[in-house]
Amino acid sequence: MELIEKLPEINERINVKAKDQVYKFAASLELGSKETYDILTKYDVYPILPSHFRAYTVDPRSAQQTLELASKMEFIANIKQNPNLVSCSISEVIKRMGQCDAVGIPYRDEATGLCADYIFSAREFKKQVGPMLENKEALAPVDNTVSFTDYAVTDNDEKKKAIKDYANKLLEIFTLTSTEDKEAIMMAIDKMDVSELSEKEVLMSTFAETFKVGNMELLSSEIDNVLDANTLGRKAA
Amino acid sequence: MKFLEKYDFTQEDIEELIDSTPKKIMNGLKKSQDLVEANLGYLKDLGIKTYVDIFLNFPDMFFMDHSNFKEMLDKYEKDSLVEKLNANFRLIEFL
């Protein structure tokens, strides 16, 4: 009920043509929270249409996390245009971006910076990008000559084992949980000469290359978190 | 949300709804199943083929009192309404 009181304020930004449609979506204002309203306002996210009121029903913690990541990953403009996207699964969005990047399917309009709608919907992604992905994957060269279990044991095995443990944690963070994702990153680590590189350098390079990560800042900060957590674990032990 | 299968929602449609709809709205849809079904059924029975898209994009609209929901649609000539909503389901927001 707390948001009903905010209606005059909220209504100011509603498209003139839709102002008399507010009653259709009043349930979302009734279910919405003031805390989520404040978080969205902090990021300059406002409903433009009454159907956007639904954004206020998102759990505040989840809204905060989504908006933070959307800023880092540079797709907050999409959320400003359609605040309901604040309820999307960010990990799935990142995964879809990665899938597009991997096979070179564009999803961002360079002029506006907006991402295509299918990035935010599993159903639309499957419908619009699915066939393209199948074609591109079928055309991609497959290297059948080696598998990541075939590599010879080296002096750097211990270091690689530690890096693989960190990689597993990062895969979970980015919800890259399929066997293919795991095999791809393990193979990339196995192929790499890690003797002259730091753990972070190996992780940055293999993740960026394997999953075509565009936002290096986010990747770097997540790697730092994983490495820091491990250091803390060691200290605590 | 099994009841949606009665209205020919596919598993993929239901997953999309779960993924893109805030929990509070989902809980409300479950609690108000009778009302939601009455509104959804009315839309489908009118011959509006895009009712699945309408539901996925505007789930909170289905909390509307059924008489208001009907009134919103009944004020238009049926064939013209069906034709327009089948061509562009997003128009429902502006009816």
Side-chain angles (χ1 to χ4, degrees):
Chain A
M1 286 301 279
E2 49 191 2
L3 282 186
I4 298 280
E5 293 160 16
K6 292 262 173 205
L7 186 56
E9 211 171 299
I10 294 169
N11 217 6
E12 272 176 30
R13 292 176 186 262
I14 297 292
N15 184 307
V16 177
K17 285 181 190 166
K19 274 196 196 289
D20 55 351
Q21 311 297 327
V22 167
Y23 77 101
K24 291 180 194 168
F25 303 93
S28 281
L29 283 184
E30 204 167 309
L31 292 170
S33 85
K34 169 81 172 47
E35 212 179 325
T36 305
Y37 170 89
D38 289 338
I39 291 166
L40 263 64
T41 306
K42 189 176 84 184
Y43 282 87
D44 285 330
V45 175
Y46 303 97
I48 305 157
L49 293 170
S51 60
H52 296 158
F53 294 164
R54 196 163 75 245
Y56 291 140
T57 67
V58 174
D59 168 69
R61 270 180 55 194
S62 163
Q64 176 68 41
Q65 279 175 356
T66 302
L67 288 164
E68 247 174 56
L69 274 171
S71 297
K72 285 184 185 170
M73 300 289 291
E74 296 171 352
F75 59 85
I76 198 155
N78 283 80
I79 298 183
K80 286 183 180 180
Q81 197 176 60
N82 177 7
N84 286 336
L85 294 178
V86 80
S87 66
C88 70
S89 160
I90 284 286
S91 53
E92 287 301 313
V93 168
I94 294 171
K95 199 169 172 179
R96 281 179 215 122
M97 286 175 168
Q99 281 180 281
C100 286
D101 283 337
V103 290
I105 294 173
Y107 56 84
R108 199 185 286 275
D109 183 321
E110 288 189 9
T112 62
L114 290 168
C115 294
D117 287 347
Y118 53 71
I119 285 293
F120 302 97
S121 156
R123 189 165 164 260
E124 287 305 309
F125 189 78
K126 193 176 170 190
K127 207 190 289 178
Q128 295 185 45
V129 183
M132 283 193 271
L133 275 178
E134 278 168 27
N135 288 339
K136 297 246 183 181
E137 276 163 9
L139 291 170
V142 179
D143 183 358
N144 287 323
T145 55
V146 284
S147 86
F148 76 91
T149 51
D150 291 338
Y151 288 91
V153 175
T154 71
D155 293 336
N156 288 310
D157 274 2
E158 278 304 306
K159 190 174 182 182
K160 281 189 178 174
K161 192 173 168 290
I163 293 170
K164 284 180 181 179
D165 286 341
Y166 299 136
N168 273 324
K169 285 174 191 151
L170 283 168
L171 287 169
E172 276 173 32
I173 290 168
F174 291 116
T175 58
L176 296 162
T177 48
S178 73
T179 315
E180 295 82 51
D181 290 336
K182 189 172 175 174
E183 285 201 6
I185 200 71
M186 296 307 161
M187 189 185 284
I189 294 169
D190 270 320
K191 278 182 177 176
M192 202 160 206
D193 179 6
V194 300
S195 55
E196 302 289 320
L197 300 168
S198 70
E199 289 162 338
K200 184 173 179 180
E201 282 169 329
V202 176
L203 290 166
M204 283 292 287
S205 156
T206 50
F207 270 78
E209 186 62 28
T210 308
F211 301 115
K212 307 290 175 210
V213 176
N215 190 329
M216 302 303 277
E217 240 179 73
L218 176 68
L219 178 61
S220 170
S221 106
E222 291 298 353
I223 291 173
D224 285 341
N225 289 342
V226 168
L227 296 176
D228 287 349
N230 186 64
T231 313
L232 286 173
R234 274 189 220 145
K235 279 178 189 163
Chain B
M1 300 304 285
K2 205 133 181 74
F3 73 90
L4 293 174
E5 288 174 7
K6 277 193 284 184
Y7 299 91
D8 301 325
F9 278 61
T10 63
Q11 202 47 47
E12 197 181 39
D13 295 330
I14 295 172
E15 277 166 23
E16 177 80 6
L17 178 75
I18 295 168
D19 287 347
S20 63
T21 309
K23 283 197 185 82
K24 276 187 190 172
I25 302 281
M26 286 301 290
N27 292 339
L29 293 174
K30 283 178 205 159
K31 274 187 199 159
S32 312
Q33 186 181 330
D34 289 346
L35 173 64
V36 171
E37 280 200 62
N39 289 337
L40 189 58
Y42 191 73
L43 206 55
K44 188 179 179 217
D45 292 344
L46 273 177
I48 294 163
K49 291 176 190 157
T50 49
Y51 68 92
V52 173
D53 289 307
I54 293 175
F55 190 76
L56 294 181
N57 284 276
F58 308 107
D60 43 348
M61 204 178 70
F62 289 77
F63 294 131
M64 273 172 76
D65 175 81
H66 186 55
S67 59
N68 288 342
F69 191 85
K70 268 184 74 188
E71 200 184 324
M72 165 182 85
L73 299 164
D74 290 349
K75 64 186 174 193
Y76 298 94
E77 197 268 315
K78 189 187 157 192
D79 289 344
S80 163
L81 175 75
V82 171
E83 189 192 41
K84 287 197 167 67
L85 285 178
N86 282 345
N88 179 8
F89 72 85
R90 292 189 184 276
L91 282 177
I92 199 155
E93 188 170 359
F94 301 95
L95 295 180

